[in-house]
């Protein structure tokens, strides 16, 4: 008597795509397969393109007095076309430093024009200069998104910036500042990012806290911020 084998073909197990964490601004270089990071560097620094690492370049207001502005602006224009460079930044205004605000604003405006020319969003450092920042945004007819990094200000400033199509990025202060947590809770998810900046915290820790504040599952928050990333950077 002959026998015949019966083969049963089972469908392959479907796996959900991994949704990455977005670290919109950091100075600490590390590569993690589950994190998409934008590393802030000076135009003289080296970069390498990977699937999970991107960069922003710019003249930080703290460095204005020690930077050869014209040469550095030329270098930025050479580099900005590199596919790994997603943004100009961090750049901005800071009332707490010795560089005159008029000089800061002039260099800030030059970099904003470069961002517009090459269609790069801008990551902004702003300390005690939000009235100037809002004035520049309104008057300059800038079209590219601005990301205000390390946001710790009040509801009125947050609403004014969001009305001007800016994103607000929150860092380690979100872990401990209760007033900031209350503000964060009220903001539309489509206007926010999270960042580690120069701190030693992990981006996952910020996501955990942010999700709890907004009463969301972490995976849902990851979807929201990934959508923001794709919208902001046309990814």
């Amino acid at each position: 008597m002959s026998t015949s084998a019966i083969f049963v073909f089972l469908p392959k197990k479907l796996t959900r795509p991994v949704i990455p964490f977005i670290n919109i601004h950091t100075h600490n270089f590390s590569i993690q397969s589950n994190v998409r990071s934008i590393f802030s560097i000076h135009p003289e620094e080296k970069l390498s393109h990977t699937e999970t690492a991107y960069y922003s370049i710019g003249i930080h207001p703290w460095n204005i007095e020690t930077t050869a502005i014209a040469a550095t602006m030329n270098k930025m224009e050479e580099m900005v076309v590199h596919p790994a460079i997603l943004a100009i930044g961090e750049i901005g205004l800071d009332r707490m430093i010795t560089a005159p605000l008029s000089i800061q604003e002039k260099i800030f405006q030059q970099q904003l024009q470069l961002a517009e020319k090459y269609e790069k969003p801008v990551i902004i450092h702003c300390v005690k200069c939000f009235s100037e920042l809002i004035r520049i945004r309104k008057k300059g007819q800038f079209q590219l998104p601005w990301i205000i990094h390390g946001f710790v200000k009040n509801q009125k400033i947050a609403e004014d910036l969001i009305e001007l199509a800016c994103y607000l990025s929150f860092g380690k202060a979100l872990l401990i500042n209760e007033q900031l947590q209350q503000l964060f809770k009220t903001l539309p998810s489509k206007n926010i990012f999270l960042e580690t900046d120069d701190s030693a915290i992990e981006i996952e820790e910020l996501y955990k806290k942010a999700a709890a504040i907004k009463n969301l599952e972490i995976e849902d928050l990851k979807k929201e911020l990934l959508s923001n990333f794709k919208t902001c950077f046309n990814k």
Side-chain angles (χ1 to χ4, degrees):
M1 184 176 67
S2 64
T3 61
S4 60
I6 299 175
F7 295 95
V8 178
F9 293 94
L10 297 176
K12 291 183 179 179
K13 185 178 179 180
L14 298 177
T15 58
R16 294 181 180 179
V18 176
I19 303 170
F21 294 96
I22 302 297
N23 189 352
I24 207 68
H25 174 70
T26 181
H27 295 273
N28 300 322
F29 189 84
S30 65
I31 299 296
Q32 297 170 270
S33 61
N34 65 335
V35 181
R36 301 291 180 268
S37 297
I38 298 182
F39 300 100
S40 180
I41 63 171
H42 189 274
E44 298 301 325
E45 295 181 61
K46 294 181 179 180
L47 54 85
S48 59
H49 186 38
T50 75
E51 291 184 355
T52 60
Y54 300 103
Y55 298 86
S56 65
I57 57 169
I59 303 171
H60 194 290
W62 293 357
N63 298 328
I64 283 175
E65 295 180 315
T66 58
T67 298
I69 301 300
T72 304
M73 287 295 299
N74 289 336
K75 181 67 174 177
M76 284 176 61
E77 189 151 16
E78 291 175 6
M79 294 179 66
V80 74
V81 296
H82 193 288
I85 294 177
L86 295 192
I88 298 296
E90 65 184 286
I91 64 174
L93 304 170
D94 192 325
R95 194 167 252 110
M96 302 301 291
I97 61 176
T98 59
L101 199 56
S102 60
I103 300 299
Q104 292 186 47
E105 184 170 330
K106 178 181 178 181
I107 295 168
F108 181 46
Q109 292 269 17
Q110 290 175 1
Q111 294 179 93
L112 291 175
Q113 294 295 339
L114 186 67
E116 290 290 321
K117 179 178 179 180
Y118 289 97
E119 300 184 342
K120 302 289 182 177
V122 180
I123 297 174
I124 291 179
H125 168 99
C126 186
V127 176
K128 298 184 182 297
C129 291
F130 280 94
S131 59
E132 289 85 356
L133 189 71
I134 290 168
R135 168 180 56 79
I136 292 168
R137 180 71 174 179
K138 286 180 176 178
K139 187 177 179 180
Q141 299 181 335
F142 296 107
Q143 302 300 314
L144 275 296
W146 289 5
I147 301 164
I148 315 303
H149 105 82
F151 190 81
V152 292
K153 304 306 289 184
N154 59 40
Q155 186 92 32
K156 178 64 167 60
I157 293 175
E159 290 174 354
D160 287 347
L161 290 167
I162 287 173
E163 187 176 343
L164 292 170
C166 296
Y167 292 89
L168 307 181
S169 180
F170 295 81
K172 65 180 180 181
L174 190 64
L175 300 175
I176 57 174
N177 186 325
E178 293 183 1
Q179 287 185 328
L180 191 65
Q181 292 168 4
Q182 289 302 313
L183 168 63
F184 183 81
K185 187 175 183 178
T186 69
L187 298 179
S189 295
K190 67 178 181 178
N191 294 103
I192 62 174
F193 283 114
L194 297 173
E195 62 174 73
T196 60
D197 194 15
D198 59 358
S199 71
I201 62 173
E202 298 291 336
I203 194 65
E204 290 91 337
E205 184 179 355
L206 277 170
Y207 268 78
K208 182 178 180 180
K209 185 65 175 182
I213 293 169
K214 283 193 166 292
N215 195 27
L216 293 171
E217 296 294 330
I218 290 180
E219 288 301 303
D220 291 332
L221 181 62
K222 287 169 71 176
K223 289 178 184 177
E224 293 270 14
L225 270 58
L226 178 60
S227 176
N228 294 351
F229 179 80
K230 290 179 177 180
T231 300
C232 184
F233 298 99
N234 293 318
K235 286 293 181 182

